[in-house]
Amino acid sequence: MIIPLFVRNKTESLRAYRFPLLYLLLALSGPLAAEGAVYPSLDFGGLVFGDIYYVPSNHLESGDGATGLVMRRAYLTLDVDFSERWFARVRGEANQDGTFETYEFTSQFKDLYLGVNMGRQQLLAGLTSTPTFDLIEKIWGARYLMRTPMDLQGVASRDTGLSVQGPLNASGSLSYRAMWGAPLDFSNDGNPNSRLMGALNWSPGKHWTLDLYMDTESRENQQDWNTWQVFAGFQNERLRWGVQFSKQDRKDNPSIELASAFIVASLNERSSVIGRIDRLFEPSPRGNGIAYIPFDPSAPATMFVGAYEYDLTQDLTLAPNFIVIDYDRNDAGQRPETDVHLRLTAYFRF
């Protein structure tokens, strides 16, 4: 079986590379499968989300009054369990250009790793999500509307290297996540510099979590970047909320310093309301380079997100939503024009 993973480039968006991935996985699984068990176990799926949008106001001339239809992300995922201990994931991503009213495709690997469960500990090798991102993303649970705050502002949500995680006590209320990111430029969401990351998590109750995170990133100019983050969250069947404060010191480069809070509340079995506020205490260093939702790079800003989420079917969600980015005055004493995005977002899983 031959599985298409991703599109080759922008100008050949309908062609696909083909890679005999399944043959490789089957070959690897043989000596690893537990005797008498049915392995490998394969799970193939994907998701697509995009928007019909209108931008009545934007600090960029190209964005002011922009309207269109965009497929922001499409994922294809293959999960393989080789045995009770060994597993792997391959995930490809395709997305349209993040510029207003531009619709060409790009593609990349999103995940590409091999993992093993060692008792209560888990080790991953390859391209995978970072400790900066993974816990907050899981509780936020609405990436189809908006990326998590540090991810949005340019801190890599993926890295290629070695990661390990697991509990620190018998009850599992204390746990850790650690990762070494190799200096490899492998994914658009990745980081080409060596990075050491670590997080300590405390869950005082079934629904509560407190997470402390730090990392250090080696840079060629010997001025290492350092990040620290604190996050508190709650989740049950009807309600999720979280608050965080994050700071990345970039030495001579503009720093990231932000606070964020979100809430997702179920109204019934099919619908929810979502709200989020991000406060940037410093101007966005990624600025106009942020795909789909550029920030003016000259002034601190507050972003408001609101949405009504409705499950039309088990696999299809529709969410009318808005994004408003309000700016402080910049060093020149001017206030950039407020950004307003009105969207109808569709999210399909299979």
Side-chain angles (χ1 to χ4, degrees):
M1 179 178 179
I2 298 176
I3 299 176
L5 288 181
F6 52 94
V7 229
R8 181 177 299 173
N9 55 40
K10 294 181 181 180
T11 60
E12 298 178 296
S13 61
L14 295 180
R15 300 180 185 177
Y17 285 115
R18 296 183 181 271
F19 184 76
L21 175 64
L22 186 55
Y23 296 141
L24 175 62
L25 296 179
L26 289 171
L28 287 173
S29 67
L32 300 175
E35 186 174 345
V38 181
Y39 290 111
S41 172
L42 306 178
D43 185 14
F44 182 74
L47 59 88
V48 179
F49 56 84
D51 315 304
I52 300 173
Y53 68 88
Y54 171 56
V55 184
S57 173
N58 196 265
H59 71 276
L60 291 174
E61 184 177 351
S62 61
D64 205 6
T67 185
L69 172 66
V70 60
M71 188 206 75
R72 280 188 285 124
R73 292 290 186 275
Y75 297 146
L76 290 177
T77 305
L78 177 64
D79 288 312
V80 184
D81 289 327
F82 300 119
S83 71
E84 291 183 356
R85 296 180 57 203
W86 292 87
F87 58 93
R89 167 173 284 190
V90 178
R91 171 176 284 175
E93 176 189 76
N95 56 276
Q96 288 185 283
D97 193 297
T99 307
F100 292 113
E101 299 181 343
T102 302
Y103 309 110
E104 295 178 326
F105 282 90
T106 60
S107 59
Q108 63 183 9
F109 281 111
K110 191 72 173 180
D111 294 303
L112 185 64
Y113 62 76
L114 177 68
V116 58
N117 293 313
M118 305 174 294
R120 301 175 72 197
Q121 314 303 310
Q122 185 180 88
L123 174 68
L124 299 180
L127 174 65
T128 186
S129 60
T130 66
T132 327
F133 162 86
D134 52 4
L135 177 72
I136 298 175
E137 165 70 10
K138 181 179 179 181
I139 298 177
W140 164 235
R143 184 176 177 81
Y144 76 96
L145 288 177
M146 180 67 64
R147 285 172 285 174
T148 57
M150 291 292 272
D151 181 16
L152 183 67
Q153 297 303 324
V155 177
S157 66
R158 292 293 191 278
D159 222 327
T160 303
L162 296 173
S163 66
V164 61
Q165 62 180 336
L168 292 171
N169 59 358
S171 68
S173 61
L174 284 175
S175 62
Y176 74 96
R177 306 186 309 285
M179 185 172 185
W180 168 68
L184 298 173
D185 191 6
F186 186 66
S187 165
N188 289 344
D189 284 350
N191 189 325
N193 302 300
S194 178
R195 188 161 57 139
L196 290 173
M197 297 159 272
L200 183 65
N201 184 267
W202 177 45
S203 297
K206 179 180 178 182
H207 304 295
W208 296 86
T209 190
L210 176 65
D211 199 68
L212 303 176
Y213 169 88
M214 295 184 68
D215 73 34
T216 182
E217 178 181 329
S218 299
R219 310 287 295 185
E220 291 183 358
N221 59 9
Q222 297 184 346
Q223 292 191 347
D224 294 352
W225 291 3
N226 300 299
T227 307
W228 69 273
Q229 176 175 274
V230 58
F231 172 79
F234 173 91
Q235 59 177 335
N236 61 23
E237 294 181 356
R238 305 281 301 185
L239 178 68
R240 307 192 308 272
W241 61 259
V243 293
Q244 76 179 88
F245 179 84
S246 307
K247 183 171 183 178
Q248 184 175 74
D249 181 7
R250 300 185 172 195
K251 305 302 180 184
D252 293 337
N253 296 276
S255 297
I256 298 176
E257 185 175 359
L258 62 84
S260 178
F262 68 81
I263 186 169
V264 182
S266 295
L267 301 177
N268 51 52
E269 292 184 355
R270 284 196 160 193
S271 62
S272 302
V273 290
I274 299 173
R276 177 171 140 187
I277 300 175
D278 289 0
R279 171 61 183 170
L280 273 67
F281 300 102
E282 301 288 342
S284 169
R286 198 176 182 191
N288 290 324
I290 299 177
Y292 307 106
I293 311 195
F295 278 62
D296 189 291
S298 70
T302 304
M303 182 181 72
F304 304 89
V305 180
Y308 172 75
E309 182 183 72
Y310 182 76
D311 293 333
L312 194 63
T313 69
Q314 184 177 355
D315 300 318
L316 177 61
T317 297
L318 296 180
N321 62 97
F322 68 85
I323 302 164
V324 174
I325 305 173
D326 184 53
Y327 297 98
D328 297 354
R329 295 189 182 277
N330 56 28
D331 290 342
Q334 299 177 337
R335 188 188 296 271
E337 186 174 358
T338 299
D339 299 333
V340 180
H341 303 252
L342 304 177
R343 306 187 303 183
L344 174 63
T345 300
Y347 174 39
F348 176 70
R349 285 109 32 215
F350 62 91

